Amino acid sequence: MNHVTAEQKKEIDEIVNEQALTSRFTSVGLESILYQPIPVLDHGFIRVVDYMGTDQSIVQAARVSYGRGTRKTSEDEALINYLIRHSHTTPFEMAEIKLHVKLPIFVARQWIRHRTANVNEYSARYSILDKEFYLPSHNNIGTQDSTNRQGRGSAVEQAEGEEFVSMLRAASEQAHEFYRRSLNENEEGQPKSNKKRGIARELARIGLPLNYYTQWYWKIDLHNLMGFLRLRSDKHAQLEIRMYADAILEVLEKWVPLTFKAFSEHVLGGARLSATAVAFLRKQLAGQAFQRSDSKLSVREWNELAETFGFRSSSSNSLR
Amino acid sequence: MNHVTAEQKKEIDEIVNEQALTSRFTSVGLESILYQPIPVLDHGFIRVVDYMGTDQSIVQAARVSYGRGTRKTSEDEALINYLIRHSHTTPFEMAEIKLHVKLPIFVARQWIRHRTANVNEYSARYSILDKEFYLPSHNNIGTQDSTNRQGRGSAVEQAEGEEFVSMLRAASEQAHEFYRRSLNENEEGQPKSNKKRGIARELARIGLPLNYYTQWYWKIDLHNLMGFLRLRSDKHAQLEIRMYADAILEVLEKWVPLTFKAFSEHVLGGARLSATAVAFLRKQLAGQAFQRSDSKLSVREWNELAETFGFRSSSSNSLR
Amino acid sequence: MNHVTAEQKKEIDEIVNEQALTSRFTSVGLESILYQPIPVLDHGFIRVVDYMGTDQSIVQAARVSYGRGTRKTSEDEALINYLIRHSHTTPFEMAEIKLHVKLPIFVARQWIRHRTANVNEYSARYSILDKEFYLPSHNNIGTQDSTNRQGRGSAVEQAEGEEFVSMLRAASEQAHEFYRRSLNENEEGQPKSNKKRGIARELARIGLPLNYYTQWYWKIDLHNLMGFLRLRSDKHAQLEIRMYADAILEVLEKWVPLTFKAFSEHVLGGARLSATAVAFLRKQLAGQAFQRSDSKLSVREWNELAETFGFRSSSSNSLR
Amino acid sequence: MNHVTAEQKKEIDEIVNEQALTSRFTSVGLESILYQPIPVLDHGFIRVVDYMGTDQSIVQAARVSYGRGTRKTSEDEALINYLIRHSHTTPFEMAEIKLHVKLPIFVARQWIRHRTANVNEYSARYSILDKEFYLPSHNNIGTQDSTNRQGRGSAVEQAEGEEFVSMLRAASEQAHEFYRRSLNENEEGQPKSNKKRGIARELARIGLPLNYYTQWYWKIDLHNLMGFLRLRSDKHAQLEIRMYADAILEVLEKWVPLTFKAFSEHVLGGARLSATAVAFLRKQLAGQAFQRSDSKLSVREWNELAETFGFRSSSSNSLR
């Protein structure tokens, strides 16, 4: 895997092997992957660096318990389900996870908009950035979507995609060459020229493009993590951040399987209907309404409803 | 100890004994007191229910490390000291602690003003409150302070204090009698009268006074915990919440000794000076100024400065 | 109205009359009620003290506009509708409102759990609380609900309700008598006895019950306000806080009518369905499923679904 | 001024001229500059788009007032000073300001780390970015600082600086050429080639460098704004963001002159001393200690202390 170096791999192995006894709640699922990088995109990864709590912590907090706070797994499951369904969010804030994430800067800029989290980013004022940049794979290069006006639509012709990637590669390499030259350092950290002093790191990096990788430690509670995942695993999110969200969803399932199940049932797989949509479905179930003209719904909302409930969507284009 | 029941003690012992191996950072100091109630006031306590991270986590995050992120303890200490001194707060957000706290409602109302924390409180809409209320000890009953106009000054006469406590006890007991009667439940949860249906819990409790105990799970990151402790261990904080802050300070020292040391050095034991105070000290060190009239400082600020630096304070009263 | 004194009324009139020209967005609806108390419960109120922005501010921010950011009201309405429907919440954070609220302490304790807001509360350490306490009206006194196990069910007999109110009144009056006596102050602020020094305010108040009124300034952005209203105007919220939420909903309609409309359509009047409920409705619409046994839904969720869509609910009791 | 276009200027003039009467607190100082761009760097600006409150709002909230909450300006000043000095922060959360900011992406990435604020950024997924990028002026191009290891030290030779700027200009122009080509749009928004469909905006932009300008609406309360300004106007902050902080400081003085004064006195111009520094100064004032060896201070802290109080600093290098 080209996502971590041999030296980083060694550091990871060492920390994995230093085990200790704890009386804290422990997640067997997470311990088995602790510190291990899960690859995302061409050079990125997520890895779980620490966590606090398990499904049981949610039950324990909801009951303000003195001990485990739990009787049977089936009761835990019912309670967690109930809490999610009724927006009782505070018990889910009682579990916490910390990830080390390596990600392109343009993804980082979307990610950081989730403010109820803690972040410690690698400083390009203090350290030098590696020559690592993101190149999309050919089959993920789409044109501007005509319906969802902020997204990516169908794939462009292969030639157009290939040209884009090859130009992006050239530009990214050239940018790193310029970066190194400005710093006046070669790959070994030695001065390239004795006639120059080198530009400060905080300045030299401003010519690097947004596809360069950065990395950070990111810590978030389970409630806010689900908020992040709901929005970033959505099909309207940009593909690249969605791939991180998908990787975290797998971590979520390992960490808190009961919460993951309730979250899938009530949030990811559920639906939110407007008052007008509810009124239309009531009429439809009573055999009194059948098509969009009976509903006062916009074309766009009608099409989403039709997709959710499996009836025929309108033929006209939806517009925002 | 009258702070937990025998049944609660049993639940605690059980959870303490369920140990597991973990690769996470583990605090030896905290493991030794995990889940154990530390008494505060007459019926209250704090106890550590869970935690994430140690001093090493701060270093690890500051360095966005792949492994332990550390070389020597002395380097860790220097880095932590540097981070605290320069308000680099994000690495301290990477450690987290969860407490179970039992506290009087009037203390809870001050505590909750620290918003960057997670709280799950025992619900008096759902459950019935125990007959547990706070009575101050005689030597802690002061009169309104004439200088710090929101605080407690010197102790009142013993007779006045005793009268207050005995009346508070009587009122608190009477309030619980009224509560039980409104619920139409006796101590065993059986109806007191068959002619009544009992008032809903959410209503019956509104006649209970502010010295009744409540309890909650409270989770906070290390940076915000230090903010809480700075304000709530201050001599201007109400005595009762200060006693909780003092108990947490002892937990802090066990959990993250290097951070505790830097926090004591730069925050708790340090001083914040105004520009005018700095200017005055400069002159004084240069032998050019000696008394308040040379300084443009208010009487109140002058007195605080005099106390900090050990020179003679002004005789006049300070005013806000 | 007994909610503000004559002197307070005079202060309010004065500030209303001090008008100035501004280039900021101005809400005609809010200006007409600015500073005016809207009564809630027996002594409480809300009043708008300040605000930032209008519906247009949301559009302006969504477009990162240089000017008004808007073309036609119909376009504004469509955009606001779209933003609410797709959880694009940041533009709604760009409008802000500040309320002065007078409310019983037990309501304040529920209210404060919404942490993304700013609060400045009247200090009972610094000032003396008035003799103002909440008494529920007779027809609002219910027994514990057997279905929603944290709420208030059907009304108790009139005699039981009257007894509760009359005892609550007596207890509240007695508590204030004890408070005044502890402070050693009469209603005019003079010492009651020359032999006593009076207990500090921060201590004397701890015997006051939770139905006493407090007051605060509360400032929140429009997005978080809608979160507050969604939860606190819900039928599961305690009646007393719901009455505050209802009063604020009327303010919302005056302030940002387009947002209010979209919020009513997509959130308050809408429905959130689980994956299982969606699957059942799909089948039902296709004529393949008709009763709970076809659905895998819990009794409780089935009953809620039946109520939403107007089909027959199950007869058995729902359990959490 | 090349910071806004003629069309943008026209939109601004229109909105400035639409005035209305309000009973809200109004800041004469801010009204005079409302909506007007204040240039920062070569193409950036800040402009005040909206605000809530004035110095009086702080006093009003601190007193939980019914009216203006104020008697005399001198009393307001004393109260605001007291609140700042004692970290009574909640009244300062009662005033709010909204800025429209145009800033290079690398500055935006530092700015966004202040999470207690609201942000709405121009979307490069939805819209096309202008060809606007930041070039540092020659005299601001420094080498890596040897003391403050994350900052910019003394200026490099003019030739080295000029080379950097000219290469940065070329790279930035080339990046925009690549961007336009990927979008397959010319400056007029027409297809460049009929054989291509154009790459989606969210992808095409990932080759743009970090010195490109973005813009956002940013809203923050006065307390958190002061936190931002304390850190970002500090000499350790990167020069470019410091220039934004300096521009905002001027806005602050216009908006809330009393708060600005207290903030300058107690925070910006003040000093924070460690316990060790306090102990040393005590001894020094008592004539018992004079040099670093008497103090246990690190070289770095000693030098800072010496600079603050005007005594001779140590000659050795400071280390982190």
Side-chain angles (χ1 to χ4, degrees):
Chain A
M1 185 174 70
N2 63 344
H3 293 76
V4 294
T5 65
E7 192 187 351
Q8 288 158 356
K9 177 92 175 55
K10 186 158 158 281
E11 283 188 73
I12 291 170
D13 288 345
E14 276 172 17
I15 198 169
V16 166
N17 290 328
E18 285 186 45
Q19 290 189 307
L21 275 174
T22 185
S23 294
R24 292 175 286 173
F25 284 150
T26 299
S27 162
V28 176
L30 276 202
E31 291 286 339
S32 72
I33 59 165
L34 208 61
Y35 304 118
Q36 302 298 348
I38 299 165
V40 185
L41 303 182
D42 50 0
H43 298 287
F45 59 73
I46 61 161
R47 58 188 199 102
V48 181
V49 174
D50 208 345
Y51 67 95
M52 173 196 271
T54 63
D55 276 327
Q56 286 197 298
S57 305
I58 296 151
V59 172
Q60 184 194 45
R63 292 186 175 140
V64 193
S65 170
Y66 282 79
R68 291 215 158 258
T70 189
R71 289 158 289 192
K72 292 190 259 172
T73 302
S74 63
E75 286 179 278
D76 287 0
E77 185 168 352
L79 177 54
I80 285 173
N81 214 44
Y82 171 87
L83 294 170
I84 292 253
R85 200 159 79 81
H86 286 82
S87 303
H88 289 306
T89 58
T90 54
F92 298 97
E93 297 174 15
M94 289 292 159
E96 190 97 9
I97 197 162
K98 195 196 293 176
L99 303 176
H100 178 187
V101 188
K102 189 167 155 191
L103 70 179
I105 292 172
F106 70 93
V107 175
R109 298 223 317 124
Q110 297 173 341
W111 195 299
I112 201 79
R113 294 181 62 170
H114 297 263
R115 290 156 297 174
T116 312
N118 312 110
V119 182
N120 221 72
E121 187 170 355
Y122 185 85
S123 169
R125 297 181 68 200
Y126 186 74
S127 307
I128 295 177
L129 287 168
D130 290 330
K131 186 179 166 185
E132 286 185 314
F133 45 83
Y134 167 67
L135 297 178
S137 66
H138 294 185
N139 47 346
N140 284 331
I141 300 175
T143 192
Q144 189 77 0
D145 194 354
S146 56
T147 310
N148 168 15
R149 296 195 313 201
Q150 62 174 12
R152 199 180 305 181
S154 57
V156 296
E157 293 293 313
Q158 192 175 335
E160 189 174 351
E162 281 174 1
E163 186 198 357
F164 176 68
V165 172
S166 99
M167 288 187 69
L168 184 57
R169 176 183 289 111
S172 305
E173 285 179 344
Q174 202 176 335
H176 205 266
E177 177 54 34
F178 170 42
Y179 178 55
R180 281 280 172 195
R181 182 172 174 167
S182 303
L183 293 171
N184 194 33
E185 291 195 18
N186 64 19
E187 298 291 333
E188 286 73 41
Q190 300 305 313
K192 285 190 146 187
S193 153
N194 289 324
K195 297 190 180 148
K196 291 184 181 172
R197 300 178 61 207
I199 308 291
R201 292 164 187 184
E202 65 180 24
L203 262 188
R205 52 98 183 245
I206 74 175
L208 292 173
L210 292 164
N211 63 336
Y212 263 75
Y213 277 90
T214 184
Q215 43 184 298
W216 58 36
Y217 269 48
W218 186 65
K219 176 170 144 292
I220 193 166
D221 68 56
L222 176 52
H223 165 62
N224 281 290
L225 180 63
M226 290 191 285
F228 176 89
L229 292 171
R230 180 171 86 81
L231 293 173
R232 299 304 171 183
S233 72
D234 188 273
K235 65 181 178 187
H236 293 96
Q238 185 162 349
L239 177 67
E240 284 77 14
I241 198 167
R242 221 154 72 212
M243 295 181 76
Y244 284 88
D246 288 346
I248 298 175
L249 276 171
E250 288 181 31
V251 167
L252 189 73
E253 187 170 14
K254 283 196 167 62
W255 177 28
V256 282
L258 299 180
T259 300
F260 175 80
K261 200 173 158 190
F263 177 57
S264 302
E265 164 73 0
H266 294 291
V267 182
L268 291 188
R272 298 187 181 194
L273 305 182
S274 69
T276 303
V278 169
F280 172 74
L281 284 181
R282 274 183 90 113
K283 281 202 223 161
Q284 196 181 21
L285 287 165
Q288 296 160 1
F290 306 96
Q291 53 197 15
R292 188 169 89 81
S293 55
D294 301 325
S295 75
K296 296 188 193 164
L297 287 166
S298 70
V299 175
R300 184 166 192 158
E301 193 177 346
W302 170 264
N303 285 346
E304 287 181 18
L305 197 71
E307 194 187 333
T308 302
F309 291 105
F311 48 84
R312 197 173 47 80
S313 75
S314 169
S315 56
S316 53
N317 280 329
S318 77
L319 289 171
R320 173 173 171 172
Chain B
M1 186 174 69
N2 63 344
H3 293 76
V4 293
T5 65
E7 194 186 349
Q8 288 158 356
K9 177 89 176 59
K10 185 158 160 279
E11 283 188 73
I12 291 170
D13 287 346
E14 276 173 17
I15 198 170
V16 166
N17 290 327
E18 286 186 44
Q19 290 190 308
L21 276 174
T22 186
S23 294
R24 292 174 286 173
F25 283 150
T26 300
S27 161
V28 176
L30 275 201
E31 291 286 339
S32 72
I33 59 165
L34 207 62
Y35 304 118
Q36 302 298 349
I38 298 165
V40 185
L41 304 183
D42 49 359
H43 298 287
F45 61 72
I46 61 160
R47 58 191 200 101
V48 181
V49 174
D50 208 345
Y51 67 94
M52 173 195 271
T54 63
D55 276 326
Q56 287 198 298
S57 305
I58 296 151
V59 173
Q60 185 194 45
R63 292 186 174 141
V64 192
S65 169
Y66 282 78
R68 292 214 158 257
T70 189
R71 290 157 287 189
K72 291 190 257 170
T73 302
S74 63
E75 286 178 279
D76 288 0
E77 186 168 353
L79 177 54
I80 285 173
N81 213 44
Y82 172 86
L83 294 170
I84 291 253
R85 199 158 80 81
H86 286 82
S87 302
H88 288 306
T89 60
T90 55
F92 297 97
E93 297 175 15
M94 289 292 160
E96 189 99 8
I97 197 161
K98 194 196 295 175
L99 303 176
H100 178 188
V101 187
K102 189 167 156 193
L103 70 179
I105 293 171
F106 71 91
V107 174
R109 299 224 314 125
Q110 295 173 342
W111 194 299
I112 201 79
R113 295 179 62 170
H114 296 264
R115 288 157 299 173
T116 312
N118 312 110
V119 183
N120 221 71
E121 187 171 357
Y122 185 85
S123 169
R125 297 183 67 199
Y126 186 73
S127 307
I128 294 177
L129 288 167
D130 290 330
K131 187 179 166 185
E132 287 185 314
F133 46 83
Y134 167 66
L135 297 178
S137 66
H138 294 186
N139 48 344
N140 284 331
I141 300 175
T143 193
Q144 188 77 3
D145 194 354
S146 55
T147 309
N148 168 16
R149 297 195 316 201
Q150 63 173 10
R152 200 180 306 182
S154 58
V156 296
E157 294 292 313
Q158 192 174 338
E160 189 174 350
E162 282 174 1
E163 185 197 357
F164 175 69
V165 173
S166 101
M167 287 187 69
L168 184 59
R169 175 182 290 112
S172 304
E173 285 180 345
Q174 203 177 333
H176 205 266
E177 176 54 35
F178 170 43
Y179 178 54
R180 280 281 173 193
R181 183 172 173 168
S182 302
L183 293 171
N184 194 32
E185 290 196 18
N186 63 19
E187 297 292 333
E188 286 74 42
Q190 301 304 312
K192 286 190 147 187
S193 152
N194 288 324
K195 295 190 181 148
K196 292 184 181 172
R197 300 177 62 204
I199 307 292
R201 290 163 187 184
E202 66 180 24
L203 262 189
R205 52 96 183 246
I206 73 175
L208 291 173
L210 292 164
N211 63 336
Y212 263 75
Y213 277 91
T214 183
Q215 42 185 300
W216 59 34
Y217 269 49
W218 186 65
K219 177 171 144 290
I220 193 165
D221 68 56
L222 177 52
H223 164 62
N224 281 290
L225 180 62
M226 290 191 286
F228 175 89
L229 292 171
R230 179 172 87 82
L231 292 174
R232 299 305 171 181
S233 72
D234 188 274
K235 64 182 177 186
H236 292 96
Q238 184 162 352
L239 176 68
E240 283 77 14
I241 199 168
R242 223 153 71 211
M243 295 181 75
Y244 283 88
D246 288 346
I248 298 175
L249 276 171
E250 288 181 30
V251 167
L252 190 73
E253 188 170 14
K254 284 196 166 63
W255 178 27
V256 281
L258 299 179
T259 300
F260 175 80
K261 200 171 158 192
F263 177 56
S264 301
E265 164 73 0
H266 293 291
V267 182
L268 292 188
R272 299 188 180 193
L273 304 183
S274 68
T276 305
V278 168
F280 172 73
L281 285 179
R282 274 183 90 112
K283 281 202 223 160
Q284 197 180 20
L285 288 164
Q288 297 160 359
F290 305 96
Q291 52 198 19
R292 187 168 89 81
S293 55
D294 301 327
S295 75
K296 293 188 195 165
L297 288 165
S298 70
V299 175
R300 185 167 190 155
E301 194 177 345
W302 170 264
N303 285 346
E304 286 181 19
L305 197 71
E307 193 187 333
T308 302
F309 291 105
F311 47 85
R312 197 172 47 83
S313 74
S314 168
S315 56
S316 53
N317 280 328
S318 76
L319 290 171
R320 174 175 172 170
Chain C
M1 187 172 71
N2 64 343
H3 292 76
V4 292
T5 66
E7 194 186 350
Q8 288 159 355
K9 177 90 175 57
K10 187 160 157 279
E11 283 188 73
I12 291 169
D13 287 345
E14 276 172 16
I15 198 170
V16 166
N17 290 328
E18 285 185 44
Q19 292 190 306
L21 274 175
T22 185
S23 294
R24 293 175 286 173
F25 283 150
T26 300
S27 162
V28 176
L30 275 201
E31 291 286 339
S32 72
I33 60 165
L34 206 63
Y35 303 118
Q36 303 297 347
I38 298 166
V40 185
L41 304 182
D42 49 359
H43 297 289
F45 61 72
I46 60 162
R47 58 189 199 102
V48 181
V49 173
D50 209 345
Y51 67 94
M52 174 196 270
T54 63
D55 276 328
Q56 286 198 297
S57 305
I58 296 151
V59 173
Q60 184 194 44
R63 294 187 174 139
V64 194
S65 170
Y66 282 78
R68 292 217 156 256
T70 190
R71 289 156 289 192
K72 292 190 257 170
T73 302
S74 63
E75 286 178 279
D76 288 359
E77 184 167 354
L79 177 53
I80 285 173
N81 213 46
Y82 171 87
L83 294 170
I84 292 252
R85 199 159 81 80
H86 287 82
S87 303
H88 289 305
T89 59
T90 55
F92 297 97
E93 297 174 16
M94 289 293 160
E96 190 98 9
I97 197 162
K98 194 197 293 175
L99 303 177
H100 178 188
V101 188
K102 189 169 157 192
L103 71 179
I105 292 171
F106 71 92
V107 174
R109 300 226 311 126
Q110 296 173 341
W111 194 299
I112 202 80
R113 295 180 61 170
H114 297 264
R115 289 158 296 174
T116 312
N118 312 108
V119 183
N120 222 72
E121 188 172 356
Y122 185 85
S123 169
R125 296 183 69 200
Y126 185 74
S127 306
I128 295 178
L129 288 167
D130 289 329
K131 186 178 168 184
E132 287 186 312
F133 46 82
Y134 166 66
L135 297 178
S137 66
H138 294 187
N139 48 345
N140 283 332
I141 300 174
T143 193
Q144 188 78 1
D145 194 354
S146 55
T147 309
N148 168 15
R149 295 194 317 199
Q150 63 173 12
R152 199 180 307 183
S154 59
V156 296
E157 293 293 312
Q158 191 174 339
E160 189 174 350
E162 280 174 0
E163 186 198 356
F164 175 69
V165 172
S166 100
M167 286 187 69
L168 184 58
R169 176 183 288 112
S172 305
E173 284 179 345
Q174 204 177 331
H176 206 265
E177 177 54 33
F178 170 44
Y179 178 54
R180 279 282 172 192
R181 184 171 171 167
S182 303
L183 293 172
N184 195 33
E185 290 196 17
N186 63 18
E187 298 291 334
E188 285 75 40
Q190 300 305 314
K192 284 190 149 190
S193 152
N194 290 323
K195 296 188 181 152
K196 293 183 179 171
R197 300 178 62 207
I199 308 291
R201 290 164 188 184
E202 66 179 24
L203 263 188
R205 52 92 185 252
I206 74 176
L208 292 174
L210 292 163
N211 64 336
Y212 263 73
Y213 277 90
T214 183
Q215 44 185 299
W216 59 33
Y217 269 49
W218 186 64
K219 176 170 143 292
I220 193 166
D221 68 56
L222 176 52
H223 165 61
N224 281 290
L225 181 63
M226 289 191 286
F228 175 90
L229 292 172
R230 180 172 86 82
L231 292 173
R232 300 304 171 182
S233 73
D234 188 274
K235 65 182 177 186
H236 293 96
Q238 184 162 351
L239 176 68
E240 283 78 12
I241 199 168
R242 223 154 71 212
M243 294 180 76
Y244 283 88
D246 289 347
I248 298 175
L249 276 171
E250 288 182 32
V251 167
L252 190 73
E253 189 170 13
K254 284 196 165 65
W255 178 27
V256 281
L258 300 179
T259 300
F260 175 81
K261 201 172 158 191
F263 177 57
S264 302
E265 165 72 2
H266 294 291
V267 183
L268 291 188
R272 298 187 180 194
L273 304 182
S274 69
T276 305
V278 168
F280 172 72
L281 284 181
R282 274 183 89 112
K283 281 203 223 160
Q284 197 181 21
L285 288 165
Q288 296 160 1
F290 306 95
Q291 52 198 15
R292 187 168 90 80
S293 55
D294 302 327
S295 75
K296 296 189 192 164
L297 287 167
S298 71
V299 176
R300 185 168 190 154
E301 193 177 345
W302 170 264
N303 285 346
E304 287 181 17
L305 197 70
E307 193 188 332
T308 302
F309 291 105
F311 47 85
R312 199 173 45 81
S313 74
S314 166
S315 57
S316 54
N317 280 330
S318 75
L319 290 170
R320 176 175 172 170
Chain D
M1 188 174 69
N2 64 343
H3 293 75
V4 293
T5 66
E7 194 185 351
Q8 288 158 355
K9 178 88 174 59
K10 186 159 158 280
E11 283 188 72
I12 291 169
D13 288 345
E14 275 172 16
I15 198 169
V16 165
N17 290 327
E18 285 186 44
Q19 291 190 306
L21 275 174
T22 185
S23 295
R24 292 174 285 173
F25 283 151
T26 300
S27 162
V28 176
L30 276 201
E31 291 287 339
S32 72
I33 60 166
L34 207 62
Y35 304 118
Q36 302 298 349
I38 299 165
V40 185
L41 305 182
D42 50 358
H43 297 289
F45 61 72
I46 60 162
R47 58 189 200 102
V48 181
V49 174
D50 208 346
Y51 68 94
M52 174 197 270
T54 62
D55 276 326
Q56 287 199 297
S57 305
I58 295 151
V59 173
Q60 185 195 43
R63 294 188 172 139
V64 193
S65 169
Y66 282 79
R68 292 215 158 254
T70 190
R71 288 158 289 189
K72 290 190 260 171
T73 302
S74 63
E75 286 178 278
D76 287 0
E77 185 168 353
L79 177 55
I80 286 173
N81 213 45
Y82 171 88
L83 294 170
I84 292 251
R85 200 159 80 81
H86 286 83
S87 302
H88 289 305
T89 59
T90 54
F92 297 97
E93 297 175 15
M94 290 292 159
E96 191 98 9
I97 196 162
K98 193 195 294 174
L99 302 177
H100 178 187
V101 187
K102 190 168 156 192
L103 71 181
I105 292 171
F106 71 93
V107 174
R109 300 225 312 125
Q110 297 173 340
W111 194 299
I112 201 81
R113 294 180 62 170
H114 297 263
R115 289 158 297 174
T116 312
N118 313 109
V119 182
N120 221 73
E121 187 172 354
Y122 186 85
S123 170
R125 298 182 67 201
Y126 186 74
S127 306
I128 295 177
L129 288 168
D130 289 330
K131 186 179 168 184
E132 287 185 311
F133 45 82
Y134 167 66
L135 297 178
S137 65
H138 294 186
N139 47 344
N140 285 331
I141 300 174
T143 193
Q144 189 78 2
D145 194 355
S146 55
T147 309
N148 167 17
R149 296 194 316 200
Q150 62 173 10
R152 199 180 306 182
S154 57
V156 296
E157 294 292 313
Q158 191 173 338
E160 188 174 351
E162 280 174 2
E163 185 198 358
F164 175 69
V165 172
S166 99
M167 288 188 68
L168 184 58
R169 175 183 290 113
S172 305
E173 284 180 345
Q174 203 176 334
H176 206 265
E177 177 54 34
F178 170 42
Y179 177 56
R180 280 281 172 192
R181 183 172 174 167
S182 303
L183 293 172
N184 194 32
E185 290 196 17
N186 63 19
E187 298 290 333
E188 287 74 41
Q190 299 306 313
K192 284 190 147 188
S193 151
N194 289 323
K195 295 188 181 148
K196 292 183 180 172
R197 299 177 62 208
I199 309 291
R201 292 165 186 184
E202 65 180 24
L203 263 188
R205 52 98 183 245
I206 75 175
L208 292 174
L210 292 163
N211 64 336
Y212 263 74
Y213 277 90
T214 183
Q215 43 185 300
W216 58 34
Y217 269 48
W218 186 64
K219 178 172 142 291
I220 193 165
D221 68 56
L222 176 53
H223 164 61
N224 282 289
L225 180 62
M226 289 190 287
F228 176 90
L229 292 172
R230 179 172 87 83
L231 293 173
R232 299 305 171 183
S233 72
D234 187 274
K235 65 182 178 187
H236 294 96
Q238 185 163 350
L239 176 69
E240 283 77 12
I241 198 168
R242 222 153 71 213
M243 294 181 76
Y244 284 88
D246 288 346
I248 298 175
L249 276 171
E250 288 181 31
V251 167
L252 190 73
E253 187 169 14
K254 283 197 166 64
W255 179 27
V256 281
L258 299 180
T259 300
F260 176 81
K261 201 173 158 190
F263 177 57
S264 302
E265 164 73 1
H266 294 290
V267 183
L268 292 189
R272 298 187 180 194
L273 305 183
S274 68
T276 304
V278 168
F280 172 73
L281 284 181
R282 274 183 88 113
K283 281 203 224 161
Q284 197 180 20
L285 287 165
Q288 298 160 0
F290 305 96
Q291 51 196 17
R292 188 170 89 81
S293 55
D294 302 325
S295 76
K296 296 188 193 164
L297 287 165
S298 71
V299 175
R300 186 169 189 151
E301 195 178 344
W302 169 265
N303 285 345
E304 287 181 18
L305 197 70
E307 194 187 334
T308 302
F309 291 105
F311 47 84
R312 200 173 44 82
S313 75
S314 167
S315 57
S316 53
N317 279 330
S318 75
L319 290 169
R320 177 173 169 166

